[in-house]
Amino acid sequence: MNKALPYQDIQTVCFAIAAVVLPFAAFVINFLFLGKSKLSGWVSTVAILVSSILSVIVFTRVWNVQQIHVKHLWFIIGDNTLYTGILLNNLSVLMLGLVSVIALPVHIYSTAYMKDDAGYSRYFQYLSFFCFSMLALVVMDNLILLYAFWELVGFSSYLLIGFWFDRATAVQANKKAFIINRIGDIGLLTAIIILFNQYHTFDIAQLFKDGGLIASSTINNGLWISGTTLTPVVWQYIACIGIFLGVAAKSAQFPLHTWLPDAMEGPTSVSALIHAATMVAAGVFLLGRVYPLFNEAELTTLAVIGCFTAFMAATIALTQNDLKRILAYSTISQLGYMVMAMGIGAYATSLFHLVTHAFFKCLLFLSAGIVIHQIKHIKEDNHLNIDPQDIANMGGLRKKLPLTFIATLIGGLALIGLPLTSGYLSKEGILVQAFEWAEHKGSAYMLLPVLASITSWLTAFYVARLILKVFYGDMHLLTLHPGIKIHIGDGGWRYKLPLVLLSLCCLFPLFSLNPLSHTQSWLLYGLSSYKGYTESIFEIIVPVVVNVLSLVVMYYAYIIYIKQSIWVSSQTGLLYRISFNEWYIDRFYNCVVVKFVLALSDMTFWFDRKVIDGFVNLLEKIGVFIAGIASWCDRYIVDGILHLSAAIVQAIGGFARRFQNGKVQYYLFSMLLAVIVVFILKILIWN
């Protein structure tokens, strides 16, 4: 199974296991021993702190140094031997460090954000279990355990999204997330079964490594050939579709993206973790794990779907007024960039954007949480009937919340992808490679990078709109409700420290010493599929054009929302309605898909009640009728014969009993009579 490992490798494996298990230990301690104690928050925070330290140590020992794969016999079924273990390579240690490091400021922030909530301890139980599930997912070495923890990530997100289960909207949101993710999970499970049937192993390293089983298999004459196994090629297509369904559900790609905006019903700190480095990142991570499975045509399909998802979500974010919902559609859009990058072959850059996005999206959600929290205080202090998440109720908050404003500004600039931010490095890398890919594929494919660039400008507009409407101008609440009391601030150190840490991570020095060149990032050279860039004209043109126009778009938003010197079309046009109503996709699902499912359910219920139950009831009546006949026969024929026999025997017995009266002379007379009868019969017979 395993060769003897050097001591340091054994220690590295132990550190990795400890980093995964510590959040689960915090969950168990909080669940069994701490009850509703406020100590539960710090138990979970300390656990994730130690887990982060261990993950960083593991990262430094594995990244660009070696791959460590440890496995042990799990069980044997027939001729199949299954192993379990952990796989530590560049991808897994990158994700291990990212998840734990992002989760740490979220935990610190949550100890303050949730301190007055009645479910404080339950919240940290769920949060620790969520982190454990995701950390285990990224280090598993076989598809069975990967799928098991994939399901646990979905389950724990279900618990967190519906954390406030006394709210009908939260219950609907977590059910929606759960059901849509089940669709993806069915696809992933189908793909795993197909891969096992083809390659007879669940081992990720054997399947997907360079020169592994996937790389050595071929498709020829309609057959999928691997060693001695020949399978119709359609099963390879089905496996890829299944993988994509899993990715689309987890990472909110069209058409399975609609659960993510509704997932905002959970606490904002949960949204920060789900949208940054855990649940939605799992889909892109899965693509990275199984990347060699996809052929060129399938990758092109991924690129098209990812690009469309990015564009669609960006257009929807333009008109939303719910602060968290804007950020949710932003997440969908950025995930679309990552999937598109995978599709065009920019494997390393896609994962690079996954990492940078985790920091600035977590920062934006935590900042949004502070804003919403403070607006809620104003609402409660002044007994107002307002929505604390509606940006129409905000404005002018930069003076009241200076640190939150700076953090949001940094996160927003990184999301737009302007120079000096980490988002610039990763997003420009994707756009440059998209243009290079399209140039080699043909002019028709140029639509993808152009649409991706337009998406970048849309991002600049809705981010500028968000920042301007929340932090600039006059506070709208004072205009609508003059005389209200406003006592708000950035909060204590547990709010401020996460914002400062994440803001620093959103700047370029963490990833590259050159703020204008994504090609020099250390992260790109640690991913096996990254082969470096060839110099092209797009390296200069794309960043300049995209960023100059982004600045123009941001200034245009400033003129509209602050100067208000440009006439804006009324919010009744077709394009506005499409955007505001989220392309009517949810409405389509509700009016067509849901109604079809309900109609099908009603039809099957009718069939069950009228046909199946009717047949069963008919059989019941036939059985009762036959039983009645049998009862009559038993009562009047069988029992009648028995009763008649008994009556005859009783009569004979009664008649014979009269001969037994105890008188000797009667017995003598009887004997004489018998002799005479016999004598007479004898004479008659002889005659």
Side-chain angles (χ1 to χ4, degrees):
M1 284 175 277
N2 290 308
K3 297 179 180 179
L5 292 175
Y7 172 75
Q8 184 170 355
D9 289 353
I10 296 174
Q11 190 182 56
T12 302
V13 170
C14 292
F15 283 172
I17 294 173
V20 172
V21 172
L22 277 169
F24 182 74
F27 160 75
V28 172
I29 292 171
N30 289 339
F31 181 75
L32 295 179
F33 304 111
L34 294 183
K36 296 183 178 181
S37 171
K38 296 293 184 182
L39 187 61
S40 58
W42 291 109
V43 169
S44 294
T45 303
V46 170
I48 202 67
L49 171 62
V50 178
S51 181
S52 301
I53 295 171
L54 294 176
S55 298
V56 171
I57 294 173
V58 171
F59 178 86
T60 58
R61 292 184 176 184
V62 173
W63 184 261
N64 279 350
V65 176
Q66 62 178 332
Q67 172 179 294
I68 302 177
H69 185 195
V70 179
K71 60 180 181 178
H72 295 280
L73 179 64
W74 191 7
F75 58 86
I76 299 174
I77 297 180
D79 297 330
N80 298 310
T81 301
L82 279 81
Y83 296 89
T84 181
I86 65 172
L87 175 62
L88 300 177
N89 58 11
N90 281 1
L91 177 58
S92 56
V93 298
L94 176 65
M95 291 299 298
L96 187 71
L98 180 66
V99 173
S100 56
V101 168
I102 288 292
L104 178 58
V106 172
H107 276 71
I108 297 172
Y109 180 96
S110 297
T111 59
Y113 190 80
M114 299 296 293
K115 69 179 188 307
D116 296 324
D117 196 281
Y120 181 88
S121 180
R122 179 167 56 88
Y123 169 85
F124 278 100
Q125 292 171 27
Y126 294 169
L127 198 62
S128 291
F129 189 74
F130 189 29
C131 292
F132 158 70
S133 302
M134 188 64 196
L135 289 170
L137 169 68
V138 301
V139 298
M140 288 298 103
D141 77 327
N142 71 77
L143 293 174
I144 291 180
L145 287 176
L146 182 145
Y147 183 77
F149 287 106
W150 180 274
E151 289 294 316
L152 287 180
V153 168
F155 172 67
S156 49
S157 66
Y158 166 83
L159 295 175
L160 286 167
I161 293 168
F163 176 76
W164 287 312
F165 54 82
D166 54 341
R167 302 178 184 177
T169 52
V171 173
Q172 291 297 323
N174 73 345
K175 285 195 296 185
K176 186 176 182 179
F178 192 80
I179 291 170
I180 290 180
N181 274 275
R182 294 295 70 72
I183 297 172
D185 296 346
I186 291 171
L188 177 57
L189 181 60
T190 302
I192 291 173
I193 294 171
I194 292 172
L195 289 174
F196 181 76
N197 179 73
Q198 181 72 14
Y199 298 104
H200 312 294
T201 182
F202 293 106
D203 192 301
I204 292 173
Q206 290 184 35
L207 287 168
F208 303 107
K209 67 181 179 181
D210 292 340
L213 296 174
I214 296 285
S216 62
S217 62
T218 58
I219 294 176
N220 192 15
N221 295 325
L223 292 176
W224 185 15
I225 304 170
S226 174
T228 59
T229 304
L230 305 178
T231 307
V233 70
V234 66
W235 291 107
Q236 196 271 346
Y237 302 149
I238 294 173
C240 289
I241 292 171
I243 294 290
F244 173 73
L245 283 175
V247 171
K250 273 288 191 292
S251 290
Q253 296 298 287
F254 176 83
L256 301 180
H257 65 281
T258 57
W259 68 269
L260 191 57
D262 291 351
M264 298 302 94
E265 292 297 332
T268 307
S269 48
V270 167
S271 302
L273 196 57
I274 289 178
H275 285 247
T278 51
M279 185 171 179
V280 297
V284 179
F285 166 77
L286 177 64
L287 272 183
R289 269 287 194 239
V290 304
Y291 194 68
L293 178 65
F294 294 89
N295 59 37
E296 186 175 355
E298 291 158 350
L299 288 174
T300 302
T301 304
L302 280 179
V304 171
I305 295 174
C307 184
F308 175 76
T309 302
F311 174 75
M312 175 198 66
T315 61
I316 295 173
L318 293 173
T319 58
Q320 301 304 304
N321 291 318
D322 186 301
L323 178 56
K324 290 173 66 176
R325 208 167 181 86
I326 295 171
L327 295 178
Y329 276 107
S330 168
T331 299
I332 297 173
S333 183
Q334 298 305 306
L335 290 168
Y337 270 115
M338 299 173 207
V339 173
M340 183 190 75
M342 285 285 183
I344 64 175
Y347 171 90
T349 313
S350 175
L351 295 173
F352 185 15
H353 195 56
L354 172 65
V355 175
T356 60
H357 174 264
F359 288 106
F360 62 70
K361 188 50 60 69
C362 185
L363 174 61
L364 286 171
F365 267 107
L366 295 187
S367 300
I370 293 176
V371 171
I372 294 168
H373 207 54
Q374 299 306 322
I375 298 296
K376 191 178 296 182
H377 282 318
I378 297 175
K379 173 185 176 181
E380 293 170 352
D381 293 343
N382 297 277
H383 307 290
L384 301 177
N385 184 22
I386 60 171
D387 180 4
Q389 296 183 190
D390 191 343
I391 60 175
N393 294 322
M394 302 173 191
L397 292 178
R398 73 183 188 280
K399 296 178 181 178
K400 299 287 185 179
L401 308 173
L403 180 62
T404 305
F405 164 66
I406 294 172
T408 305
L409 186 61
I410 293 174
L413 295 178
L415 174 56
I416 296 169
L418 292 182
L420 306 183
T421 66
S422 60
Y424 168 84
L425 298 172
S426 56
K427 181 182 283 189
E428 297 311 311
I430 292 174
L431 292 176
V432 168
Q433 287 184 273
F435 277 99
E436 292 174 347
W437 171 82
E439 184 183 35
H440 290 97
K441 295 283 286 186
S443 57
Y445 292 90
M446 195 61 70
L447 178 63
L448 260 71
V450 169
L451 200 60
S453 300
I454 294 173
T455 302
S456 181
W457 300 325
L458 294 176
T459 302
F461 185 86
Y462 71 69
V463 170
R465 172 178 177 263
L466 183 152
I467 294 174
L468 293 171
K469 288 180 75 69
V470 173
F471 293 101
Y472 282 85
D474 298 324
M475 182 174 285
H476 298 156
L477 285 178
L478 282 174
T479 305
L480 297 173
H481 307 278
I484 61 173
K485 300 176 182 178
I486 298 178
H487 303 289
I488 59 176
D490 288 310
W493 70 270
R494 287 179 291 175
Y495 285 116
K496 295 177 179 178
L497 180 61
L499 298 189
V500 172
L501 293 176
L502 291 169
S503 296
L504 293 175
C505 293
C506 290
L507 301 176
F508 72 91
L510 182 64
F511 299 99
S512 174
L513 295 180
N514 186 340
L516 301 178
S517 175
H518 59 275
T519 62
Q520 297 182 27
S521 172
W522 58 267
L523 192 148
L524 292 177
Y525 291 92
L527 298 168
S528 58
S529 294
Y530 179 70
K531 306 302 182 184
Y533 289 100
T534 56
E535 291 294 331
S536 70
I537 191 64
F538 295 113
E539 291 282 348
I540 300 173
I541 293 178
V542 172
V544 171
V545 173
V546 168
N547 286 286
V548 168
L549 286 179
S550 292
L551 291 173
V552 171
V553 168
M554 293 170 66
Y555 182 70
Y556 180 71
Y558 174 78
I559 294 175
I560 292 175
Y561 294 107
I562 302 301
K563 295 296 185 179
Q564 297 181 346
S565 58
I566 293 181
W567 177 81
V568 182
S569 62
S570 62
Q571 298 181 349
T572 56
L574 176 63
L575 294 179
Y576 175 84
R577 292 199 304 272
I578 291 174
S579 172
F580 186 76
N581 291 288
E582 302 165 353
W583 285 49
Y584 294 96
I585 294 173
D586 249 337
R587 188 171 298 183
F588 170 78
Y589 286 159
N590 290 329
C591 295
V592 179
V593 178
V594 173
K595 286 187 176 180
F596 171 75
V597 172
L598 291 176
L600 183 63
S601 300
D602 289 338
M603 185 174 66
T604 54
F605 176 71
W606 177 90
F607 184 81
D608 177 68
R609 185 177 57 185
K610 299 295 184 181
V611 179
I612 297 178
D613 286 355
F615 180 69
V616 171
N617 293 335
L618 177 62
L619 291 179
E620 176 197 8
K621 291 178 180 178
I622 293 173
V624 170
F625 177 74
I626 294 173
I629 295 175
S631 175
W632 185 89
C633 292
D634 180 68
R635 184 182 306 160
Y636 293 105
I637 297 178
V638 178
D639 287 355
I641 293 173
L642 292 176
H643 293 157
L644 178 61
S645 300
I648 293 172
V649 171
Q650 186 179 16
I652 294 173
F655 174 76
R657 192 184 300 115
R658 288 197 290 269
F659 293 100
Q660 304 295 326
N661 55 13
K663 296 178 180 181
V664 176
Q665 60 271 29
Y666 184 80
Y667 295 153
L668 291 174
F669 174 76
S670 299
M671 291 173 62
L672 178 61
L673 181 61
V675 170
I676 292 171
V677 170
V678 171
F679 182 73
I680 292 171
L681 290 173
K682 183 177 180 182
I683 292 173
L684 291 174
I685 292 171
W686 280 105
N687 291 334

